[in-house]
């Protein structure tokens, strides 16, 4: 469901860090009151955990999920490969119809993945409020680290399974 992986969350964090960085630099320069005003305006708006920042964070994650999926998945190439390999989607003609069908399906799946990523990324800010516990605990278990740990565990399991399959493969030995 999540074809973009953890990259949209990383891109969103970087995008939201830019205004805070600009606000931090502007508050300490020779511009005086104007720069401190900009810093005072930008920093609370883009500090994660607040309502405005959470909404912006969600929108940016959804945007980067679609952007990254478009960059990584070449749908016309997928359609062409299906055609070359004499494969087809049942009920869909090879060519342009397959391309439009794959585009429609991948867009729907990507939307579900984007919502999933946004919920996972916001969990570290929402859970302390929902559970009534200290907010200092959940940043250690943020969405990005959770996705990375699960991804590494899945890849490790696949590697172990591949090794076990190779040990039991007799192939040309007989």
């Amino acid at each position: 469901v999540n074809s973009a992986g953890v990259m949209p969350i990383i891109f969103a964090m970087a995008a939201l860090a830019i205004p805070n960085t600009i606000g931090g630099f502007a508050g300490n320069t020779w511009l005086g009151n104007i720069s401190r005003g900009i810093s005072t305006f930008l920093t609370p708006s883009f500090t994660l955990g607040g309502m405005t920042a959470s909404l912006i964070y969600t929108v940016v994650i959804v945007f980067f999920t679609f952007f990254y999926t478009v960059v990584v998945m070449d749908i016309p190439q997928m359609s062409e490969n299906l055609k070359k390999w004499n494969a087809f989607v049942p009920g869909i003609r090879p060519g342009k119809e397959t391309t439009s069908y794959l585009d429609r399906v991948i867009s729907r799946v990507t939307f579900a993945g984007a919502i999933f990523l946004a919920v996972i990324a916001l969990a570290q800010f929402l859970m302390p409020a929902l559970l009534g516990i200290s907010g200092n605990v959940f940043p250690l278990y943020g969405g990005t680290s959770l996705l990375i740990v699960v991804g590494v565990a899945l890849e490790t399991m696949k590697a172990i399974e591949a090794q076990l399959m190779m040990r039991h493969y007799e192939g040309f030995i007989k």
Side-chain angles (χ1 to χ4, degrees):
V1 172
N2 181 13
S3 61
V6 73
M7 292 306 293
I9 296 175
I10 294 170
F11 289 155
M13 289 291 267
L16 286 183
I18 291 170
N20 274 341
T21 304
I22 291 171
F25 286 138
N28 296 324
T29 62
W30 56 272
L31 294 175
N33 292 333
I34 295 172
S35 64
R36 280 190 282 284
I38 292 171
S39 176
T40 305
F41 172 73
L42 286 179
T43 302
S45 298
F46 289 95
T47 302
L48 287 173
M51 190 61 159
T52 305
S54 296
L55 181 63
I56 293 169
Y57 190 44
T58 302
V59 169
V60 172
I61 287 173
V62 170
F63 169 75
F64 279 126
T65 303
F66 277 96
F67 177 76
Y68 193 76
T69 301
V70 166
V71 168
V72 171
M73 298 182 101
D74 188 10
I75 296 172
Q77 184 65 37
M78 288 169 64
S79 176
E80 186 65 30
N81 287 342
L82 285 173
K83 193 174 182 180
K84 285 180 186 176
W85 299 332
N86 290 326
F88 61 93
V89 178
I92 308 294
R93 294 178 59 101
K96 291 181 182 178
E97 290 85 4
T98 301
T99 303
S100 66
Y101 176 77
L102 289 175
D103 186 35
R104 193 170 55 249
V105 169
I106 289 173
S107 295
R108 290 177 183 169
V109 170
T110 301
F111 180 73
I115 298 303
F116 165 74
L117 281 177
V119 168
I120 292 295
L122 289 174
Q124 67 183 4
F125 307 112
L126 298 177
M127 285 303 183
L130 292 174
L131 298 176
I133 60 175
S134 172
N136 296 334
V137 174
F138 271 92
L140 298 173
Y141 307 109
T144 307
S145 50
L146 179 68
L147 286 172
I148 290 172
V149 166
V150 169
V152 168
L154 288 174
E155 288 298 320
T156 303
M157 292 300 295
K158 284 181 187 177
I160 291 170
E161 186 176 305
Q163 288 294 325
L164 290 174
M165 291 279 277
M166 281 187 2
R167 288 182 179 254
H168 295 294
Y169 180 72
E170 294 179 8
F172 297 112
I173 294 174
K174 288 187 176 183

